[in-house]
Amino acid sequence: MKKLLGLLCLSFIALHSLGQSHRDGNIAIIPEPVSLTQKEGEFTLPKRVIIETSTSPEMKQVITTLRQRFSVPTGSKVVILGSSPTATIKLILNKKADEALGKEGYNLAVTPKGIFIKANGPVGLFYGVQTLVQLFPKEIVSEKYEANIKWVSPCVEITDYPRFKWRGLMFDVSRHFFTKAEVEEYIDNMAKYKFNLLHMHLTDDEGWRIEIKSLPRLTTVGAYNVKKVGYFGSFTPPGPDEPRDYGGFYTQNDIREIVKYAKDRFVDILPEIDVPGHSLAAVVAYPELSCTPGADKYQVRSGEHFMNFTKEGIKAGIDNTLCPANEKVYDFLDKVLTEVAQLFPFGYIHMGGDECAKNFWEQSDAVKALMQKEGLKTQEEVQSYFEKRVEKIVESKGKKFLGWDEILEGGLAPDAIVMSWRGMKGGIQAAKMGHEVVMSPTTFAYLDYMNGDPAIEPRVYSTLRLSKAYQFDPAPDSVDSKLIIGGQANLWTEQVYNVRHLEYMTWPRALAIAEAVWSPKSVRDFDDFFSRVEKHFDRFDEAEIKYAPSVYDPIFTAKTSTDTTKIEVELATEVKGLDIRYTFDNSFPDQFYPKYTAPLLIPTDAAMLRVITYKGDKPVGRMITLTVDELKKRAIRKRNYPNNDD
């Protein structure tokens, strides 16, 4: 009996340790592998690196990645051979599939004498290579030769495979156009962290970004607006003489090249055609698609205000919707989707469905007639009628229909997949109805939100800190996890004008999402995660990729003190091990200034609070200044809305 109990205990310990990492602080892999064990010794990269591998076409990018990383920065010569008893790195495709690894998993062993990566297919080897690169010094990501670096890796054994099959980032190329080369660069960076899905938001009020040959005005007219700089949504309306030459679109050849580029890196591309709302660019190109007289006078939006979001619903100042009662709309979408389906081999097409302002539908005689004919009682049911017809068009092209969670309202199309963005609620509801779900909630996964305090970030209406993004769990306990096919982060680009800011908004929060959709739930720990993130900051620096350092900046909470005549300020840090130095005397604090230890009462005549964070004697946060007037405003908001953290 004691022997049996001992075996049971050992079994429990083995199960409990699965997914736990055994490593020193120099190993910083993101996303965290299922299982990692550090062994004695280290591997030193030789001057002549022999890679034993199949040279089949699907192995091209795996080989290319190895060749670039282990030759350009290191100066080593890389040789590719089909077989070699002295191989430095062996890429091994399993003759008999290892069911535990699945399609995308891998085994990686680094020994003092060589490196072995095994997988069931090329994608697993590709991900094994991405992990291997992270084991070497940060200079391995450099695009130039790096002298005087000791090119060593710790010896490890890793078993790894993803938690979810859908691991995505959404890139809005409509609000601001990004070139083909910029999209491909984004694909390169996401593939390093084992994302396998790029969701391209191709159409919106600000521009139609994909060539549709049967409908040329979508791009000759719909792809351009007036260039504005400042806070999107508050721009003055463009004048009649301002040139409409800002924007662009992807030709069909561009799309084919982007799709091929992504496929080589084992990334699928999900196209989104956003309808029936967010369709102003289409309406401007083809005014007959609107329910509203005068649509022929509309112009593609340049960022001026025209949408009002109220408790009563969304109201639009001009009609940016397609008319659900107009048969021409369905003919139009059939043409669009015929060409889109041919360009994108991925099995899904996203048809938007979000934020559809229905105030113009309410005034439309055609929509009223449709409601009477079809027995529709609400405008939500009108949109449901539209979505069900669009689903049939999508399915006629051999694709699956996917939309934002508004498609639940008024009745869900029979086989629709729901992308839940307004929190997790819509996804939970859809899963309980038996529909597949992709979770992408604002709560955890909206990368267009501010990284930190609005005192220093470009102002957006909400904040998503790294620690909050790391709490993302796509599969809540209340639903059948088999219906949650994965998750993604969304980057809307209203306030993102260029690639450097695109990077700033993506990293490091996308690292948190990568771990949420790849790593086992049991291995996730924020303190451990951030210790690895800091090492990836060094890699981003080396690769000249911008990232947000906001995680080092303090968190401010202002509130009225107990006697209500003073303002009290609480300061906190998002990560451990930081000191906050502060001053109220208008000077610039450093490590010799007072250290925050308890809530601060603002002195009577103070004009500003200025703070900075230190790790030891090194500044890590940015200098932040908050005026006393701003702190008072925040205290009033906190008093009136105690549960609002934004």
Side-chain angles (χ1 to χ4, degrees):
M1 188 66 175
K2 288 182 179 178
K3 186 176 181 180
L4 177 60
L5 287 172
L7 288 171
L8 288 172
C9 288
L10 287 171
S11 298
F12 174 79
I13 292 168
L15 287 170
H16 183 69
S17 66
L18 180 64
Q20 300 302 309
S21 294
H22 306 280
R23 58 165 189 254
D24 64 31
N26 293 318
I27 297 178
I29 297 170
I30 298 176
E32 177 75 359
V34 171
S35 174
L36 184 156
T37 303
Q38 186 168 355
K39 300 292 187 177
E40 291 293 326
E42 61 184 21
F43 168 84
T44 301
L45 194 74
K47 284 296 182 183
R48 187 170 187 265
V49 178
I50 301 173
I51 299 173
E52 180 185 304
T53 178
S54 160
T55 55
S56 59
E58 60 268 29
M59 289 293 295
K60 178 182 176 182
Q61 191 57 41
V62 181
I63 295 169
T64 298
T65 301
L66 277 171
R67 190 189 296 275
Q68 289 174 335
R69 290 305 105 224
F70 290 99
S71 64
V72 175
T74 69
S76 295
K77 181 179 180 181
V78 175
V79 179
I80 309 299
L81 296 175
S83 177
S84 171
T86 60
T88 314
I89 302 173
K90 290 191 176 186
L91 303 179
I92 304 163
L93 288 170
N94 294 325
K95 293 180 179 178
K96 182 181 178 182
D98 183 336
E99 292 185 8
L101 297 182
K103 180 183 175 183
E104 298 177 292
Y106 62 91
N107 295 121
L108 169 61
V110 179
T111 74
K113 294 184 177 181
I115 295 168
F116 306 85
I117 307 177
K118 297 173 66 176
N120 295 331
V123 60
L125 294 176
F126 180 74
Y127 291 142
V129 167
Q130 300 304 330
T131 295
L132 176 63
V133 169
Q134 293 186 28
L135 289 169
F136 280 85
K138 61 183 174 63
E139 291 82 3
I140 197 77
V141 303
S142 176
E143 296 302 329
K144 64 181 187 300
Y145 173 66
E146 300 286 344
N148 303 316
I149 303 297
K150 187 180 178 184
W151 296 107
V152 298
S153 164
C155 292
V156 295
E157 286 185 1
I158 294 174
T159 297
D160 202 12
Y161 46 83
R163 183 181 175 197
F164 295 99
K165 67 178 183 180
W166 186 299
R167 306 183 303 279
L169 293 177
M170 191 281 288
F171 186 2
D172 170 13
V173 295
S174 178
R175 271 44 184 272
H176 289 99
F177 179 66
F178 291 82
T179 67
K180 176 171 72 76
E182 289 167 342
V183 173
E184 289 175 348
E185 183 181 7
Y186 201 71
I187 291 168
D188 276 331
N189 289 329
M190 62 186 283
K192 293 174 187 175
Y193 294 102
K194 303 182 179 71
F195 286 104
N196 67 350
L197 192 287
L198 177 65
H199 171 174
M200 290 185 73
H201 184 79
L202 290 164
T203 71
D204 216 295
D205 300 316
E206 295 72 34
W208 186 284
R209 304 300 181 203
I210 178 171
E211 178 188 25
I212 303 297
K213 291 188 174 180
S214 60
L215 298 160
R217 284 178 57 85
L218 286 173
T219 46
T220 58
V221 174
Y224 298 94
N225 59 20
V226 175
K227 184 175 182 178
K228 297 278 188 173
V229 176
Y231 279 112
F232 183 99
S234 63
F235 296 151
T236 55
D241 298 327
E242 291 187 73
R244 291 190 161 268
D245 56 3
Y246 180 63
F249 64 94
Y250 308 106
T251 67
Q252 294 201 355
N253 280 338
D254 288 336
I255 293 293
R256 291 187 187 97
E257 290 173 11
I258 291 170
V259 167
K260 173 66 164 58
Y261 193 90
K263 183 181 179 183
D264 287 345
R265 289 148 184 81
F266 304 97
V267 173
D268 287 314
I269 298 194
L270 170 71
E272 181 185 355
I273 307 298
D274 201 352
V275 293
H278 287 286
S279 295
L280 183 60
V283 168
V284 170
Y286 295 98
E288 63 270 22
L289 301 175
S290 173
C291 291
T292 303
D296 57 322
K297 304 295 192 300
Y298 291 166
Q299 292 182 316
V300 178
R301 185 190 185 203
S302 300
E304 62 274 22
H305 176 76
F306 81 100
M307 297 281 283
N308 292 303
F309 295 83
T310 69
K311 291 181 179 179
E312 292 72 35
I314 304 170
K315 304 291 183 183
I318 59 175
D319 188 3
N320 68 332
T321 67
L322 303 183
C323 184
N326 185 348
E327 287 302 312
K328 290 181 180 179
V329 165
Y330 303 103
D331 293 338
F332 164 82
L333 289 174
D334 188 82
K335 289 179 181 178
V336 169
L337 292 172
T338 295
E339 298 188 37
V340 168
Q342 291 170 353
L343 289 168
F344 294 92
F346 189 51
Y348 300 75
I349 295 178
H350 198 303
M351 296 304 298
D354 62 314
E355 297 180 336
C356 179
K358 302 175 177 66
N359 51 306
F360 285 95
W361 290 2
E362 292 168 353
Q363 302 168 28
S364 168
D365 290 338
V367 172
K368 291 174 183 175
L370 174 69
M371 294 176 73
Q372 186 172 7
K373 177 185 175 184
E374 299 293 335
L376 307 174
K377 297 180 179 60
T378 65
Q379 296 300 326
E380 286 70 30
E381 290 182 5
V382 172
Q383 182 170 346
S384 176
Y385 166 86
F386 173 88
E387 304 292 355
K388 289 172 182 175
R389 289 195 61 176
V390 173
E391 180 186 53
K392 289 179 180 178
I393 299 172
V394 171
E395 290 178 343
S396 75
K397 313 304 173 188
K399 305 291 185 179
K400 292 182 179 180
F401 170 88
L402 189 149
W404 301 111
D405 57 56
E406 282 95 335
I407 66 173
L408 283 159
E409 298 167 1
L412 190 57
D415 299 309
I417 295 93
V418 171
M419 187 169 280
S420 187
W421 74 277
R422 296 178 299 179
M424 309 280 279
K425 183 179 178 181
I428 292 170
Q429 180 185 349
K432 287 182 176 178
M433 295 165 64
H435 290 260
E436 288 187 332
V437 171
V438 177
M439 290 291 192
S440 60
T442 57
T443 333
F444 306 104
Y446 263 45
L447 303 184
D448 55 310
Y449 285 6
M450 292 178 290
N451 283 277
D453 196 279
I456 198 167
E457 299 286 339
R459 191 176 289 272
V460 185
Y461 54 86
S462 192
T463 297
L464 175 66
R465 291 184 175 272
L466 178 65
S467 54
K468 184 71 173 180
Y470 195 72
Q471 295 173 23
F472 181 37
D473 181 6
D477 294 336
S478 58
V479 297
D480 182 355
S481 60
K482 292 179 181 177
L483 291 170
I484 310 299
I485 60 177
Q488 68 179 45
N490 298 333
L491 180 51
W492 303 100
T493 61
E494 288 96 333
Q495 312 295 349
V496 179
Y497 294 82
N498 57 67
V499 167
R500 295 296 285 174
H501 195 56
L502 177 79
E503 293 171 347
Y504 179 92
M505 299 302 284
T506 302
W507 312 110
R509 292 179 297 184
L511 300 180
I513 304 302
E515 199 143 296
V517 293
W518 178 279
S519 304
K521 194 174 178 179
S522 61
V523 306
R524 295 177 61 206
D525 174 85
F526 181 72
D527 293 336
D528 174 75
F529 168 71
F530 185 67
S531 71
R532 289 178 279 126
V533 167
E534 288 191 291
K535 291 184 171 58
H536 283 259
F537 283 167
D538 294 336
R539 288 173 178 259
F540 287 148
D541 288 336
E542 196 70 39
E544 298 183 329
I545 295 170
K546 196 170 187 179
Y547 57 90
S550 317
V551 68
Y552 294 118
D553 296 333
I555 300 167
F556 298 83
T557 303
K559 55 188 178 181
T560 52
S561 64
T562 51
D563 66 5
T564 72
T565 62
K566 294 267 189 180
I567 302 298
E568 185 177 87
V569 182
E570 293 179 1
L571 302 176
T573 57
E574 194 173 350
V575 295
K576 295 178 180 177
L578 303 184
D579 294 328
I580 304 172
R581 303 290 179 168
Y582 71 93
T583 177
F584 283 106
D585 64 8
N586 309 335
S587 61
F588 300 92
D590 58 22
Q591 71 269 34
F592 298 100
Y593 276 72
K595 181 169 73 172
Y596 174 84
T597 57
L600 306 171
L601 285 177
I602 299 177
T604 302
D605 296 317
M608 67 184 68
L609 168 64
R610 192 168 271 148
V611 302
I612 189 170
T613 55
Y614 272 73
K615 182 180 283 189
D617 61 354
K618 301 294 183 184
V620 289
R622 297 170 289 186
M623 187 78 69
I624 298 179
T625 302
L626 274 173
T627 66
V628 169
D629 286 343
E630 171 62 21
L631 290 167
K632 287 178 179 178
K633 289 177 184 177
R634 294 188 184 193
I636 292 169
R637 283 200 300 271
K638 188 71 176 175
R639 184 180 63 207
N640 294 336
Y641 306 100
N643 297 320
N644 185 1
D645 293 328
D646 294 331

